[in-house]
Amino acid sequence: MSNQPRFIRPGLALAVTLGLATSAAAQQTSSSIRGSITGPQGNADTTSTITVIHVPSGTVRQTSVGSNGQFSVSGLRVGGPYRIEVDSDQFQDTFLDDVYLSLGEPYSANLTLSAPQDIENIVVTASPISSISLNERGPSANFGLEQLQSAPAINRNISDVVRLDPRIYVDESRGDQNGIQCGGKNPRFNSLTLDGVRMNDSFGLNDNGYPTERMPFSYDAIEQVAVELAPFDVIYGGFTACNINAVTKSGTNEFRGSAFYDYTSDSMRGDSLEGDKIALGDYSEKRYGFSIGGPLIKDKLFFFAAYEKLEGANLFERGPIGSGAVNIVDVSQQELDEIVSIAKDLYLYDPGPIPSSLDNEDEKLLVKLDWNINDQHRFSFTYNYNDGNNFTESDDENYEFEFENHLYERGAKLNSYSGALYSDWSDNFSTEIRLGYLDLDNRQIPVGGTDFGEIRVETPNVDVYLGADDSRHANDLNYDILNFSFRGLYYFDNGHNVTFGFETETLDVFNMFVQHAETEIRFRSIDDFRAGFPSAIYYNNAPSNVPQDAAAEWSYTLNSLYMQDEFDLLYGDLTVVMGIRFDWYSSSDKPIENTAFTQEYGFSNTNTLDGEGLFQPRLGLTYRLSDDTTLRGGLGLYTGGNPNVWLSNNFSANNVLQFGQRGRNFGYTDGSRSLFDGDIIWQAVEEGRPAGPGYGIPSELYEAVAGGSGDNFEINYLDPGFDLPSEWKLSLGVNHTFDNDYVVSADLLVTHAMDSAIVLHGDLERVGTTEDGYPIYDSVREPSFVLTNSKEDSTSYTLSASMYKSYDFGLDYILGYAFTESEDVQPMTSAVAFSNYTNRAFFDPQEQVSSTSNYNIRHRFTAMLNYEMFLFGDYKTQLSVYGSLNEGQPYSVTYDGTVDPYDFTPYLDFLPIVLRPGEERNSNEGPWWGKVDIKLTQEFPGLAEGHRASAFLIVDNFTNLLNDDWGILDEVDFPNTVEEGSEPFSRVGDASLYEIRIGVRYEF
C-alpha cells in the first residue's frame, strides 16, 4: 500500500476540480485502464497478461498485451482501490497496487518490466499523483468522495460542491433551487445524468435544472460527480452549457453503512442585516437518512441502498411597511386589512394570512444491484425515487404582494430505473448496453385550492393578489422518458481505440395548462374592489369547460449515432481524440391545425422537429510537453438542452383546444355593471360555494367559450424553417506542476452560439419609425408567437486559472478565478411564449441583438481550504472552509413603454422593459457578493471495531455571523430590469443571513 501521508490523496482529488480534472464523459458511468508494457530495453512485451482486480468486490478482469505492447480494459467501476497484475513470460512480474479510477477517465499504466530475477515479483505502489491523471481534454470539474464528504454542503446538494469551480456559479437567491450556471449560461441548457439515466428538467419548469424540487437522489449515494463545460468525446450530447454526470456507490464484499441526522431552526439563523432587525417565521428543519451496502453473494452479487428525508420549511421575506421583514413592500398594513375585510365580508373569501413560513418535505430512496455474471460480463441496476415539495410565490416583484392562499405548492414525484450490461467479447472488443426509464408526475397546487379564482387589487404603489394564482387553476404535467443505448469499444493492436454507438430517447408528455380557468379579476383600486367594478376579467377553458380536454399530449424520439477514434502520436506524447456525432428527431405527433391561422399565414401551425438533425464534429488534443507540463485543446459542435415546454406551447396554445374570453366584451369593465348586480348568472360554481365573483364565471363568458369563440391569447407555432440550435466550443489549456509542488492550471473557453431559440411576434410588421428611432409596428395577421432561430450569433468566452498546494502537516488549499463574458440574443427565462417575449429588456421588441447574458458573472474568485489534524489519537479533526467573491448579475435600466412609444401594439402589458435610445441590455452590473462557509468535523470511537462516529457543525455564510454588514446578497429582481427612478436591488435574506446546522454521523 502507499506510504504517502493520508491527506495527499484527498488534496490532489480536490485539485482537479478547477481544471486539473480528467475528462469525464456524459452518459458515462464507468472508467478504464490503458497503458503499455515494455521490457528493460524499451521493446514491447507481447507475452504479458494483464489482470485487473477491484479489491473491495473481488471483481476480476483480464486481457492480453497487443503486438505494440499496449492494452486496454474498459467498463470498470469508478473509485477503488484496484490492483493491476502484470504476468510476463519474458520479464519480471509486476503488481501495481492502490489504483483509483476517475469517472470516464482512462487511467494510464505505462510500465517498464525488469529482467528476470531470483525474487518472485516486484510490487509498485501507485502514487496519488499517478492515480489522478492531469492530462485533461477540456475544461472540467471532477469531484470525488473526499470532496463530497468534507465540503460545507449545507444543502446536501452537488451544487454545494461544484461551486468551487469559478466557472460555475450557483444562484443562491431562490431558496432550494440553487441553479447551476456554467460559463454564464442559462441552467436550462445543462444536462444531468445519474448512472446513465438523464435527469434533466426535461420539460423546463425549474430553475435548478433538476426535474424535481431538489437534487433527485440521495447525497450519500454519490461516488463521484463530474461537470464538463467542453468535452470532446462524441458520447457527450444533449446540452450546450455543461454536462453534470453523477455515478452512485456500489456494494462490496464487506458490509458497510452509515446513518446521519442534522438539525437547524430559526434560533440558529441570523436575525439582523445591516443593523435592521429581521422578523423570521418560526421553523425547524431536520434531515436524516442511512446508507448500507454489501454482498448478497461474495465476489458475485452486491447491493447498495441510500435513503434520506427532509422535514423543513419555506421562509418568506416580504412584508408591509413596519413589519420588520427582510424586504419591505410599499403597502401599509391598514390597506391590507381593508382588502381582507372586503374579501371576507363581500366576496365571502378568506385570503389567508401574510405568509411567513410553510412546512415542506423531501424524500429520496436509491437502490443499486451489481452482478458479476462472470469474468466477461457485469450487470448493474439502479432504482431511484424522489418526492418533494416547496411553497412558492408567483407574484413577488417589488410592486406586488400576495396573501398566503395565493402561494402554490410546487412538487414532483420521480421514479427511475436503469440497467447496464458491460461485456468483454475479446481482449479487443467490449460493449455497453443500457436501458433506462423515468416517470415524473409534477404538481402545482394553490395553497388555498382552486375553487376561488385570482383577484388583483391595485393600491397606489403595489398590486395585491388573493385567491388561486391564475397559472395554477388547471395545471398538471406528467411525462416519461425511455432511453436505450448501445456502445462498442474496439481496441486495435496498433493503439487505436475506436468507440461507436447508437442512442435513442423517447419523451412522452401530458401537459394541461389552462390559465384563468377559474377567472382572473382585476380592480384599479380598493374602492372599486369594494363596489365590485372590475377593470378586467379573464376566463379560459376548453369548449367543454373541462380543462382536461385542453391538455396537450405529444411525444418525440431523439436519436444519436456516433463514432470516434483515439490514438497517440509523437511517441505517445500527443493524444488525439477525433469523431463525429449525429442527432436527429422523429415524431408522428403534430399540433392540431388552426385553419384560420393557415389561411392568414399561408402555412400550417403543425410544424414539429420531425426530421431535424445536426452533425457534430469533435477534435481533442492532449500534448504532454514534459512530466510537469501538459497542453490541451479542442474544438467541437454541440446541440441540446432547450426546454421542451417551448415545444409543448405549440400543442396547447393553438386556439383550438382552448379559448379565452374577456369581461370587456360583455360590458363588465366600463363601470356600468357591478359584480354584485343581481342579474349576473354565475356558472361552474362548486358545490357548497356561494354563487358570486371568484367562485363562479359570468354566464356570458362561460357560454362564449362553450360556443368556441374567444378573445384568445396569441397562437404559438414553430417556425417551419426552424434549425436545431447549436454551439461551437473551442478550448485551450495548460497544467503545470512546479518543483515546490504548486499545481497551476489555466483555461480559455470560447463558445459561438448559432441559431439560438428565441420567441418573436409572428403577426407584426414594421410600418414606421418614431422621432426617437423606435419602430412602429402593426399587427397584420392573427396575433401569434413564433419559436424561431436567431439570425444573430453570440460569442462568449471564459478565461480561468487555479492554483493548488498541499503541505505535509495536513493543510491543503486551492484558489481559483474566472473572467466571463457571456452573451445571448434572448435570455429565454420562462415557460410560456409571452413571458419569454416580455421578460427581458429591449429597444425593439422584435430585435435580434446579442447582448450580455442575464446569467453572466464577469468576475468570480473561489477558494477552498482543508486542514486535517489528529488531536485525539487516531480520530480525525477536520476544518473545511469555502469562500467566494463575485461581481453581481447584470441588469438594465428600463421604463414602461407600453403606451409611449409602442401604443400597446407589441402587447407589452405595462411592464418596465423598454430601453432608452442608445442603451444596451444588461449594461449595468449588480453589487459584488462575498461569503465564507465553514464545516468542522470531529470523529469519535464507534460502538465496535471498525466503526466511527462523528459530529459536525456547518455555518452557511459565516461572514454574516461575524458581522451583520457582511455576506449580504443585494440582487436585482427578475427579469434583470429596473424601472427608472426605482431602487435597483433587494436583499436576499435566505442567502444573506447566516445559518448554523449541527449533526451527527455514524459509519460502520
Side-chain angles (χ1 to χ4, degrees):
M1 299 298 291
S2 172
N3 59 1
Q4 295 284 351
R6 70 183 71 196
F7 61 83
I8 290 183
R9 187 180 306 281
L12 280 168
L14 180 60
V16 303
T17 61
L18 295 191
L20 304 182
T22 54
S23 178
Q27 295 87 38
Q28 183 73 286
T29 63
S30 62
S31 190
S32 60
I33 297 175
R34 299 174 185 172
S36 62
I37 307 298
T38 58
Q41 306 304 317
N43 54 310
D45 177 21
T46 60
T47 70
S48 289
T49 299
I50 309 298
T51 302
V52 176
I53 304 171
H54 182 249
V55 177
S57 67
T59 306
V60 177
R61 299 284 298 281
Q62 195 172 77
T63 190
S64 299
V65 173
S67 60
N68 63 348
Q70 296 185 348
F71 71 93
S72 176
V73 182
S74 61
L76 300 174
R77 293 190 190 187
V78 299
Y82 279 87
R83 178 182 174 90
I84 303 174
E85 299 179 354
V86 183
D87 183 5
S88 173
D89 292 343
Q90 287 186 321
F91 305 107
Q92 186 63 53
D93 294 347
T94 298
F95 300 152
L96 186 62
D97 279 333
D98 206 21
V99 172
Y100 287 82
L101 304 184
S102 295
L103 177 58
E105 168 62 19
Y107 174 87
S108 296
N110 300 315
L111 299 175
T112 300
L113 305 184
S114 302
Q117 300 177 16
D118 294 334
I119 60 175
E120 184 177 350
N121 55 58
I122 297 175
V123 178
V124 180
T125 301
S127 70
I129 290 180
S130 66
S131 294
I132 298 175
S133 170
L134 300 183
N135 301 331
E136 69 165 330
R137 302 168 189 173
S140 60
N142 196 309
F143 306 90
L145 198 55
E146 295 88 354
Q147 295 81 57
L148 293 165
Q149 292 177 343
S150 65
I154 197 163
N155 299 299
R156 291 182 60 82
N157 193 317
I158 57 176
S159 61
D160 294 326
V161 182
V162 301
R163 62 182 179 165
L164 177 56
D165 190 319
R167 298 163 297 194
I168 300 173
Y169 175 72
V170 175
D171 183 3
E172 299 184 45
S173 68
R174 299 179 66 83
D176 287 337
Q177 289 292 299
N178 292 317
I180 298 174
Q181 301 170 194
C182 298
K185 304 292 184 181
N186 190 327
R188 291 167 168 229
F189 300 145
N190 300 340
S191 178
L192 170 68
T193 53
L194 177 73
D195 285 349
V197 173
R198 197 181 304 278
M199 289 208 175
N200 299 358
D201 175 20
S202 295
F203 196 70
L205 297 180
N206 297 338
D207 294 320
N208 57 14
Y210 299 141
T212 49
E213 288 301 289
R214 299 167 186 82
M215 188 173 74
F217 41 90
S218 170
Y219 189 79
D220 283 340
I222 309 170
E223 176 77 24
Q224 288 191 24
V225 176
V227 182
E228 290 284 354
L229 287 84
F232 300 112
D233 286 359
V234 294
I235 59 176
Y236 293 81
F239 70 96
T240 52
C242 69
N243 181 81
I244 305 167
N245 189 28
V247 294
T248 56
K249 298 173 182 175
S250 294
T252 67
N253 276 327
E254 294 186 28
F255 284 99
R256 296 286 186 184
S258 66
F260 83 94
Y261 174 88
D262 64 28
Y263 176 83
T264 189
S265 70
D266 58 286
S267 63
M268 301 169 69
R269 192 177 181 92
D271 60 1
S272 65
L273 291 174
E274 300 172 301
D276 297 334
K277 200 69 175 176
I278 301 301
L280 289 176
D282 294 336
Y283 76 97
S284 64
E285 182 171 288
K286 60 183 178 181
R287 295 181 302 208
Y288 51 89
F290 69 88
S291 68
I292 186 169
L296 294 173
I297 303 174
K298 188 175 182 181
D299 293 339
K300 197 76 172 177
L301 183 61
F302 312 90
F303 79 95
F304 175 82
Y307 171 86
E308 70 176 74
K309 187 170 184 180
L310 159 73
E311 297 176 10
N314 291 117
L315 304 181
F316 304 99
E317 303 175 347
R318 297 151 50 76
I321 298 168
S323 65
V326 174
N327 291 301
I328 300 299
V329 181
D330 193 9
V331 62
S332 70
Q333 185 64 55
Q334 181 180 356
E335 289 172 310
L336 296 180
D337 290 343
E338 188 174 3
I339 291 172
V340 170
S341 177
I342 295 170
K344 288 181 177 180
D345 295 342
L346 299 180
Y347 292 81
L348 305 179
Y349 177 75
D350 184 353
I354 296 173
S356 59
S357 67
L358 287 170
D359 292 341
N360 60 35
E361 289 188 348
D362 194 82
E363 189 172 31
K364 315 177 200 291
L365 172 66
L366 182 140
V367 179
K368 186 176 183 181
L369 298 175
D370 289 274
W371 178 23
N372 294 334
I373 303 171
N374 53 41
D375 288 350
Q376 288 75 43
H377 302 278
R378 177 171 69 90
F379 180 75
S380 178
F381 172 81
T382 305
Y383 167 72
N384 189 67
Y385 166 85
N386 179 216
D387 188 5
N389 73 322
N390 277 307
F391 289 94
T392 304
E393 297 170 305
S394 55
D395 296 287
D396 58 355
E397 305 300 331
N398 287 336
Y399 55 86
E400 297 171 323
F401 190 85
E402 304 170 87
F403 289 100
E404 186 172 289
N405 283 355
H406 192 257
L407 308 183
Y408 66 97
E409 178 195 357
R410 291 172 51 105
K413 179 185 292 186
L414 176 146
N415 287 276
S416 74
Y417 312 81
S418 171
L421 176 65
Y422 304 87
S423 299
D424 289 331
W425 302 101
S426 70
D427 289 344
N428 299 85
F429 180 52
S430 61
T431 60
E432 298 179 16
I433 300 174
R434 185 176 305 278
L435 182 65
Y437 176 77
L438 181 147
D439 176 76
L440 185 99
D441 185 358
N442 180 278
R443 59 186 182 273
Q444 299 196 32
I445 305 171
V447 171
T450 57
D451 56 354
F452 190 88
E454 179 179 277
I455 286 182
R456 187 177 83 178
V457 181
E458 298 176 19
T459 68
N461 299 309
V462 173
D463 295 339
V464 179
Y465 293 84
L466 55 152
D469 174 62
D470 64 317
S471 293
R472 277 83 206 172
H473 290 176
N475 192 320
D476 187 25
L477 168 68
N478 302 284
Y479 66 80
D480 59 68
I481 300 173
L482 178 66
N483 62 64
F484 168 81
S485 67
F486 169 84
R487 183 177 306 157
L489 301 96
Y490 194 89
Y491 180 75
F492 288 88
D493 288 344
N494 60 7
H496 285 260
N497 288 274
V498 175
T499 302
F500 56 93
F502 169 74
E503 299 176 4
T504 181
E505 181 174 280
T506 299
L507 172 71
D508 201 334
V509 175
F510 172 88
N511 179 35
M512 179 181 67
F513 180 64
V514 183
Q515 293 177 297
H516 314 131
E518 302 289 338
T519 71
E520 178 191 354
I521 307 174
R522 300 180 182 181
F523 298 93
R524 288 202 174 95
S525 67
I526 295 177
D527 288 339
D528 284 350
F529 180 45
R530 179 184 292 106
F533 290 126
S535 61
I537 302 177
Y538 299 85
Y539 173 62
N540 279 63
N541 217 324
S544 64
N545 286 295
V546 177
Q548 288 82 355
D549 292 340
E553 297 185 68
W554 58 279
S555 67
Y556 70 69
T557 298
L558 174 61
N559 309 285
S560 302
L561 278 172
Y562 52 81
M563 178 171 284
Q564 172 181 287
D565 187 14
E566 179 179 349
F567 55 92
D568 291 338
L569 295 174
L570 302 178
Y571 305 100
D573 290 334
L574 175 65
T575 298
V576 180
V577 178
M578 57 188 303
I580 192 164
R581 178 186 180 99
F582 179 60
D583 292 346
W584 77 99
Y585 288 82
S586 58
S587 175
S588 59
D589 292 334
K590 293 183 177 182
I592 297 175
E593 184 173 22
N594 185 311
T595 55
F597 175 93
T598 302
Q599 291 173 0
E600 290 196 28
Y601 281 77
F603 56 85
S604 176
N605 61 295
T606 60
N607 187 53
T608 68
L609 290 180
D610 182 45
E612 290 296 322
L614 183 70
F615 284 98
Q616 301 156 70
R618 311 276 174 85
L619 173 66
L621 304 172
T622 302
Y623 182 63
R624 289 160 287 279
L625 184 64
S626 68
D627 290 342
D628 297 322
T629 306
T630 301
L631 306 177
R632 61 192 177 275
L635 177 68
L637 186 64
Y638 304 79
T639 186
N642 293 280
N644 287 297
V645 64
W646 300 341
L647 295 175
S648 191
N649 291 332
N650 303 323
F651 286 86
S652 56
N654 50 32
N655 291 342
V656 176
L657 289 176
Q658 61 174 288
F659 294 89
Q661 273 294 346
R662 302 282 295 272
R664 66 188 180 189
N665 297 328
F666 303 97
Y668 280 99
T669 61
D670 59 7
S672 64
R673 303 182 71 179
S674 167
L675 295 180
F676 300 118
D677 289 347
D679 63 337
I680 299 176
I681 299 174
W682 297 97
Q683 300 274 20
V685 179
E686 294 186 19
E687 184 177 353
R689 299 301 182 185
Y695 289 108
I697 297 113
S699 59
E700 297 95 332
L701 280 70
Y702 185 89
E703 291 167 0
V705 167
S709 66
D711 191 345
N712 293 328
F713 290 137
E714 296 85 352
I715 186 174
N716 289 191
Y717 70 96
L718 181 68
D719 189 336
F722 188 83
D723 294 318
L724 296 183
S726 60
E727 188 167 293
W728 283 102
K729 293 177 181 282
L730 170 67
S731 173
L732 299 172
V734 59
N735 296 327
H736 181 73
T737 302
F738 290 91
D739 292 339
N740 54 7
D741 292 331
Y742 281 94
V743 183
V744 175
S745 177
D747 280 284
L748 171 66
L749 174 62
V750 180
T751 65
H752 185 73
M754 303 177 297
D755 298 318
S756 298
I758 61 173
V759 172
L760 296 176
H761 257 287
D763 57 303
L764 298 183
E765 288 190 4
R766 186 165 181 168
V767 296
T769 304
T770 70
E771 292 182 359
D772 292 327
Y774 288 100
I776 300 173
Y777 286 106
D778 186 22
S779 178
V780 298
R781 292 174 289 273
E782 179 181 357
S784 68
F785 283 121
V786 54
L787 180 63
T788 186
N789 298 115
S790 170
K791 298 177 182 178
E792 179 78 11
D793 294 348
S794 298
T795 300
S796 307
Y797 63 89
T798 297
L799 182 63
S800 61
S802 66
M803 181 184 72
Y804 167 77
K805 174 65 174 175
S806 176
Y807 298 90
D808 58 8
F809 57 84
L811 174 70
D812 61 70
Y813 65 85
I814 188 166
L815 306 174
Y817 167 74
F819 174 81
T820 301
E821 284 287 357
S822 179
E823 293 190 350
D824 54 34
V825 175
Q826 285 188 10
M828 298 295 284
T829 59
S830 303
V832 299
F834 173 82
S835 297
N836 275 321
Y837 188 74
T838 58
N839 285 337
R840 59 192 174 98
F842 52 75
F843 180 79
D844 175 353
Q846 298 286 94
E847 70 187 13
Q848 298 184 42
V849 177
S850 183
S851 307
T852 301
S853 169
N854 285 20
Y855 305 96
N856 188 60
I857 302 296
R858 183 169 282 113
H859 300 283
R860 178 162 160 77
F861 298 88
T862 60
M864 184 76 176
L865 178 148
N866 285 293
Y867 183 53
E868 185 177 301
M869 66 201 95
F870 294 85
L871 303 177
F872 309 101
D874 196 32
Y875 299 105
K876 180 173 61 178
T877 304
Q878 186 174 33
L879 174 67
S880 296
V881 180
Y882 163 81
S884 65
L885 177 66
N886 56 261
E887 190 175 60
Q889 291 183 333
Y891 67 95
S892 309
V893 177
T894 54
Y895 74 102
D896 177 4
T898 302
V899 175
D900 182 14
Y902 283 112
D903 195 27
F904 206 64
T905 303
Y907 310 101
L908 304 185
D909 205 20
F910 302 97
L911 298 172
I913 52 179
V914 179
L915 295 167
R916 294 291 181 184
E919 293 293 322
E920 293 184 3
R921 177 168 64 94
N922 289 336
S923 58
N924 303 276
E925 290 82 33
W928 285 67
W929 181 47
K931 63 175 295 194
V932 172
D933 301 337
I934 66 170
K935 180 180 182 181
L936 181 63
T937 305
Q938 176 61 57
E939 288 186 342
F940 299 99
L943 300 176
E945 184 177 355
H947 293 206
R948 294 269 173 140
S950 61
F952 59 87
L953 177 145
I954 302 175
V955 183
D956 184 52
N957 207 339
F958 181 67
T959 33
N960 179 252
L961 175 64
L962 297 177
N963 189 316
D964 75 351
D965 287 328
W966 297 350
I968 295 175
L969 175 59
D970 289 308
E971 193 166 79
V972 64
D973 288 337
F974 178 83
N976 294 46
T977 58
V978 176
E979 189 168 16
E980 294 174 343
S982 65
E983 172 61 38
F985 310 114
S986 299
R987 289 188 308 207
V988 181
D990 185 64
S992 302
L993 294 167
Y994 75 83
E995 183 177 41
I996 299 173
R997 188 179 291 273
I998 57 174
V1000 292
R1001 183 178 181 85
Y1002 192 86
E1003 298 181 356
F1004 60 91

